[in-house]
Amino acid sequence: MNAKRKKRKLNPIRLLIFVLLVFTLMGSGTALALITVSIKDMPALTDEGLLASTSTQIFDQENQPVAKLGIENREPVSLNKIPDNVKNAFLAIEDVRFYRHHGIDFRSIVRAAWSDIRGRNLDQGASTITQQLIKISFLHPEKTFKRKIQEMFLALQLERRYSKDEILEMYLNKIYLGEGAYGIQAAARTYFNKDVEELDLNEAATLAGLPQAPSAYSPYQNYDAALARRNLVLNNMYRYGFISQEQLNQTKQQEIKLEEGGPTGRQYPYPYYVDYITEQLVREFGEDQVFKGGLRVYTSLDTKIQVAAETAMSNSANYPASKKDDQGVIQPQGAMVILDPASGQIKALVGGREHTHKRSFNRASMAPGRQPGSAFKPVISYAPAIELRGMGPASIIDDAPIKYGNWEAKNYDHSHRGLITMRAALTHSNNVAAAKVMVDGVGQADAFQFVRRFGIELDPAKHGPAASLGGLHTGVTPLQLAAAYASFANQGLYYTPTAILRVEAPDGTLLLENNPKPAPVLKPTTAYLITDMLKSVVTSGTGTAAAIGRPAAGKTGTTDKRADIWFAGYTPDYVGVVWIGHDILTPMPVDAFGGGYPARIWRQVMTVAHEGKLVRDFKQPSGLITATVDSKSGLLPGPNTPPEHQVTDLFAVGTVPTETDDTHVLVEVCAVTGKLITDYCPDKLTKVMIKLPYNVPPTVRDYELRVPTETCDIHQEPLWYRPVNGNSNGNGEPWLPERLPGW
């Protein structure tokens, strides 16, 4: 019998070695292939490439060039004119071993890799100054292995062709340092209005901190971040022996004193619009490609409307009494946005009254937003009431005192109108009605959920009934509010606001195209009913100052103590939102309200925007009918409904009431007191009055129209008569109105 062959046991160590060997061979092959492809496609190292860069060009809606990004504000300067402190500051933060490596610093690469593994941040990256010069001169900014390999090979070539001083000089003359400044000399003038030879240690360290993220570390944009970055540069300079401990301590105590009023040469056409586009481009493509990549950016900018908006927003006559704050910024400030409601395209955007480096905060689009006041009522109260609850312009709200917990809704004139239609409430910006519609009619939770359709998030833990009046914890920006109103003008379709239509590379390759799809956030009937009510605001309500001689709809907004005043309005062609307020919440004068300054600005700009356009009204969708109802109950007129209490308005099909009014009733009242009669009132009147299951205080304007709650207190008993000639049958002379003795 043959013996069974003994099976060999699996050796785990041998298996591991075999697996590692396989992966090493596979990895080596992949790496070799990647290196081969990278070298094959590597651009040529040329003198022209080291010196030139291409600006990004911006085009308006007519494809006409309007501005350039990266127009190189550059003043070349030789290395021997650059102070040692400036050179050392850049070396300390960017590449301290610059004079000891050959273009690639393998020690820095290992250190950076180890730092990534440990999850720590480095003061320096792994790229040398030579590699950075290669990257900004020849390569795209995308972070890929292929680009990194090309960068390293080209850096080795550059080091063989040029001396270290020549490379450093090219780098310092070419690096982008923010605020439109290319190179150290342009940056010295931009930030400090000095020549590079005049820069002190504080200024040198500030500029050296910029290359990593020029916008984030610009002292004009973020002073605290710039200060922290400057201190990091100083720490490195001390660590590497460039400055003494005393210099370190003294310089850290100094402020960064910038060129007063902002750097010269900053101004460019349509600055707030261009800034808005630039921010989006940088997020998408990075600063290198935006400012030096020669992109072609096509936008929705309408230069005619933009100029009109800039003119109106800079006119001091369009603001309450103004003065400069401690930062030299004129207050109050303002912002305006104009959209095409049919596409969401931004036609004009102005983020302030003036634009400089120190004042370029874009109030039209940047958070934090501001409380929109009554301009938010159509979004959070009336639109969901129509959409979710079947209400309409003729629905009735009782404008009478109301409290929800500790919060009380108060009207701006501190009076109450009584029973009013929803159209009247919106036309005259009634606060009590808006609160009742949101809280009692819609429900707070459903209302908060509803506004999410417009891209506006409300945290229920931080918002309550005051949100019905625009009391928002986080507020909204003019751009957000304009996008919401655009859906009213566009039959319920919401578009994400868009300024950049497409972006092309220099060779015409399409890099980005924006074709936002509409989101149906409202029924067309809801959008039209809101629009029709908002037309009443402009024709006969709080927004009459915005009338432009053609169909227009809009809403005013004024927050507590007039800290923020708004006008949001639209035509079939454009939607525009205007905001005015102080950067730091501050009450404005009593003549500052949404129907004043903002409405007039809106009218001025919209008048220009509509020049040459046909006059057209908003298109009424199917699904709406006209009906007449009782204006105190919202029901069909009843037998007792007087003509003056009948109103004809629009209704969505299926929402016309089927019940007849029963609130108007015939009531007998005392002709003397006007109260409910007693059996003893000598004169009685029969009146048509309003009967409801609750009472309101006498301060409500229609109190006299309601059934009295009290009975006549004069005619309580019969008149007694003095006997005549002993006759006691009561047919004598009337006694004084007092009780006879003994009765």
Side-chain angles (χ1 to χ4, degrees), residues 166-356:
E166 288 174 324
I167 293 172
L168 183 58
E169 180 180 304
M170 286 187 287
Y171 170 81
L172 291 176
N173 277 311
K174 188 162 189 174
I175 191 71
Y176 179 63
L177 295 170
E179 309 297 353
Y182 290 83
I184 190 65
Q185 171 67 7
R189 289 190 178 278
T190 296
Y191 291 95
F192 306 113
N193 196 25
K194 292 182 176 182
D195 287 324
V196 67
E197 299 99 313
E198 302 172 305
L199 294 175
D200 60 25
L201 177 59
N202 175 24
E203 295 159 345
T206 300
L207 297 182
L210 293 172
Q212 185 181 80
S215 296
Y217 294 129
S218 168
Y220 282 115
Q221 308 295 337
N222 192 335
Y223 182 85
D224 291 339
L227 196 66
R229 183 70 176 170
R230 179 208 66 180
N231 290 343
L232 177 60
V233 174
L234 291 171
N235 288 338
N236 276 17
M237 293 183 75
Y238 171 71
R239 180 192 306 170
Y240 299 126
F242 292 125
I243 60 174
S244 66
Q245 180 74 60
E246 182 180 3
Q247 288 176 300
L248 173 67
N249 295 338
Q250 288 180 352
T251 310
K252 276 190 172 183
Q253 298 303 314
Q254 298 175 14
E255 296 180 355
I256 302 175
K257 295 183 179 180
L258 299 168
E259 162 65 1
E260 192 63 31
T264 59
R266 166 71 167 176
Q267 295 306 317
Y268 39 84
Y270 324 121
Y272 281 109
Y273 197 101
V274 172
D275 284 355
Y276 177 72
I277 291 170
T278 303
E279 292 162 12
Q280 295 183 316
L281 291 171
V282 168
R283 285 197 298 268
E284 181 71 25
F285 299 104
E287 288 185 339
D288 282 343
Q289 192 168 2
V290 170
F291 293 108
K292 297 180 288 293
L295 302 178
R296 296 172 64 86
V297 182
Y298 296 88
T299 75
S300 56
L301 172 66
D302 186 314
T303 56
K304 181 180 76 170
I305 301 177
Q306 179 70 24
V307 169
E310 291 178 0
T311 301
M313 296 305 296
S314 63
N315 186 350
S316 60
N318 285 333
Y319 296 87
S322 306
K323 63 180 182 179
K324 291 187 176 181
D325 60 19
D326 294 340
Q327 304 299 317
V329 180
I330 193 167
Q331 301 291 347
Q333 272 291 328
M336 186 174 194
V337 176
I338 307 285
L339 303 180
D340 178 353
S343 62
Q345 293 180 5
I346 303 173
K347 297 301 179 181
L349 184 148
V350 182
R353 294 174 64 172
E354 53 189 357
H355 185 283
T356 69

Side-chain angles (χ1 to χ4, degrees), residues 11 52 54 119 188 232 241 260 300 373 398 508 569 578 588 603 632 716:
N11 189 318
T54 308
L232 177 60
E260 192 63 31
S300 56
D398 201 349
V578 179
M588 285 186 283
R603 183 188 68 227
K632 297 299 179 180
Q716 292 292 319

Side-chain angles (χ1 to χ4, degrees), residues 280-574:
Q280 295 183 316
L281 291 171
V282 168
R283 285 197 298 268
E284 181 71 25
F285 299 104
E287 288 185 339
D288 282 343
Q289 192 168 2
V290 170
F291 293 108
K292 297 180 288 293
L295 302 178
R296 296 172 64 86
V297 182
Y298 296 88
T299 75
S300 56
L301 172 66
D302 186 314
T303 56
K304 181 180 76 170
I305 301 177
Q306 179 70 24
V307 169
E310 291 178 0
T311 301
M313 296 305 296
S314 63
N315 186 350
S316 60
N318 285 333
Y319 296 87
S322 306
K323 63 180 182 179
K324 291 187 176 181
D325 60 19
D326 294 340
Q327 304 299 317
V329 180
I330 193 167
Q331 301 291 347
Q333 272 291 328
M336 186 174 194
V337 176
I338 307 285
L339 303 180
D340 178 353
S343 62
Q345 293 180 5
I346 303 173
K347 297 301 179 181
L349 184 148
V350 182
R353 294 174 64 172
E354 53 189 357
H355 185 283
T356 69
H357 272 63
K358 295 179 71 172
R359 303 163 194 168
S360 58
F361 177 74
N362 202 329
R363 299 166 186 85
S365 61
M366 292 182 174
R370 302 297 287 263
Q371 292 194 11
S374 295
F376 203 57
K377 290 174 182 175
V379 179
I380 195 170
S381 291
Y382 297 115
I386 295 172
E387 182 88 357
L388 304 179
R389 302 293 180 256
M391 298 176 70
S395 296
I396 304 303
I397 308 104
D398 201 349
D399 174 23
I402 188 70
K403 288 185 73 173
Y404 297 102
N406 295 325
W407 183 80
E408 182 178 4
K410 294 182 179 180
N411 295 322
Y412 68 93
D413 60 358
H414 303 288
S415 69
H416 296 88
R417 299 166 62 91
L419 295 165
I420 55 175
T421 63
M422 198 158 75
R423 180 185 293 275
L426 187 54
T427 299
H428 301 289
S429 199
N430 187 280
N431 289 339
V432 171
K436 286 186 173 182
V437 168
M438 189 196 83
V439 178
D440 300 330
V442 178
Q444 193 167 284
D446 286 346
F448 291 176
Q449 181 69 22
F450 185 86
V451 299
R452 296 182 64 187
R453 301 182 182 188
F454 306 95
I456 300 171
E457 296 286 341
L458 298 184
D459 184 351
K462 297 180 179 178
H463 292 86
S468 63
L469 312 184
L472 307 185
H473 178 73
T474 51
V476 295
T477 65
L479 187 59
Q480 286 178 304
L481 194 60
Y485 269 67
S487 65
F488 299 147
N490 194 34
Q491 298 202 356
L493 297 178
Y494 176 89
Y495 281 94
T496 300
T498 303
I500 299 173
L501 304 182
R502 72 180 189 277
V503 179
E504 296 177 357
D507 61 1
T509 302
L510 183 64
L511 301 178
L512 175 69
E513 188 170 23
N514 282 325
N515 290 309
K517 295 182 179 179
V521 296
L522 298 170
K523 299 173 185 175
T525 51
T526 300
Y528 187 84
L529 291 176
I530 290 290
T531 294
D532 199 59
M533 289 193 292
L534 291 178
K535 287 173 68 176
S536 297
V537 175
V538 175
T539 57
S540 59
T542 59
T544 54
I548 57 173
R550 64 172 65 212
K555 184 68 189 75
T556 57
T558 305
T559 63
D560 288 346
K561 300 180 181 179
R562 300 166 302 283
D564 299 281
I565 55 178
W566 299 73
F567 186 79
Y570 54 96
T571 69
D573 299 295
Y574 299 110

